[in-house]
Amino acid sequence: QVQLVESGGGVVQPGGSLRLSCATSGFTFSNYGMHWVRQAPGKGLEWVAFIRHDGTGESYGDSVRGRFIISRDNFKNTVDLQVNSLRAEDTAVFYCAKDGGGVAPDFWGQGTLVTVSS
Amino acid sequence: DVVVTQSPLSLPVTLGQPASISCRSGQSLLHSDGITYLSWFHQRPGLSPRRLIYTVSNRDSGVPDRFSGSGSGTDFTLRISRVEAEDVGIYYCLQGTYWPPTFGQGTKLEIK
């Protein structure tokens, strides 16, 4: 079955960086685009980033463009999110999700919590 | 960015009764390829979101047939024919026609 497992979250000071990773299994990873979506505590879902199945194109939300970088390794079946210049408002659970066609994620991981605090 | 607006934001429902959630977008979600990229998700407390419906009205595998999606253009609806206890949580719509994709604010369904 499809599995996505995020890791790399933690507590970081404002201005700091983290590298989030998502390990996947149960599907042909190189055939699918991948998303990162985040959810601030008690808030709704916010789409963050997407990478094409072959890694040839990425897209970012307005609030993270220029600070976050999405990448993938089609040999290791992983997708990463490098999060830089972190701000308090970046505090959230970050989910990786498999694209199900038409920009509609069909499988989600359990999430990893990023807390930005001094 | 395309703004997606859900209503109501809070939805108390009696068990066994129907429920309906509206999702409206600031622009038509009909893509130039002829497909409308509007999907629905359900998030139970403490859990990850689960996709229920994609491209307006297509139900995901394992989703009970009491869930249905409809709509076109800028107006879309998720309907639950008879609410069950496991349906509590927050429902989100997501438009994928325009970049960046945008979620609605969420609708919290609770049992009266």
Side-chain angles (χ1 to χ4, degrees), chain A:
Chain A
Q1 72 279 25
V2 173
Q3 288 193 316
L4 303 97
V5 179
E6 301 93 337
S7 61
V11 180
V12 61
Q13 292 187 340
S17 299
L18 282 174
R19 190 172 186 87
L20 310 182
S21 189
C22 175
T24 75
S25 61
F27 64 102
T28 304
F29 182 72
S30 58
N31 286 354
Y32 294 92
M34 295 295 295
H35 301 265
W36 285 93
V37 176
R38 69 182 179 181
Q39 187 169 36
K43 302 296 185 183
L45 300 172
E46 180 188 10
W47 179 85
V48 172
F50 171 80
I51 187 166
R52 287 173 52 88
H53 66 98
D54 55 6
T56 59
E58 309 99 46
S59 184
Y60 299 92
D62 295 342
S63 62
V64 308
R65 190 176 297 113
R67 300 187 299 125
F68 291 9
I69 301 171
I70 189 172
S71 61
R72 66 188 295 155
D73 186 327
N74 282 357
F75 293 102
K76 295 181 179 178
N77 295 342
T78 58
V79 56
D80 290 352
L81 187 69
Q82 177 70 36
V83 295
N84 302 316
S85 303
L86 284 164
R87 309 164 180 165
E89 55 266 35
D90 293 317
T91 294
V93 173
F94 283 73
Y95 297 101
C96 77
K98 168 185 169 290
D99 187 60
V103 195
D106 57 355
F107 289 93
W108 298 60
Q110 85 288 350
T112 187
L113 175 63
V114 173
T115 302
V116 184
S117 173
S118 54

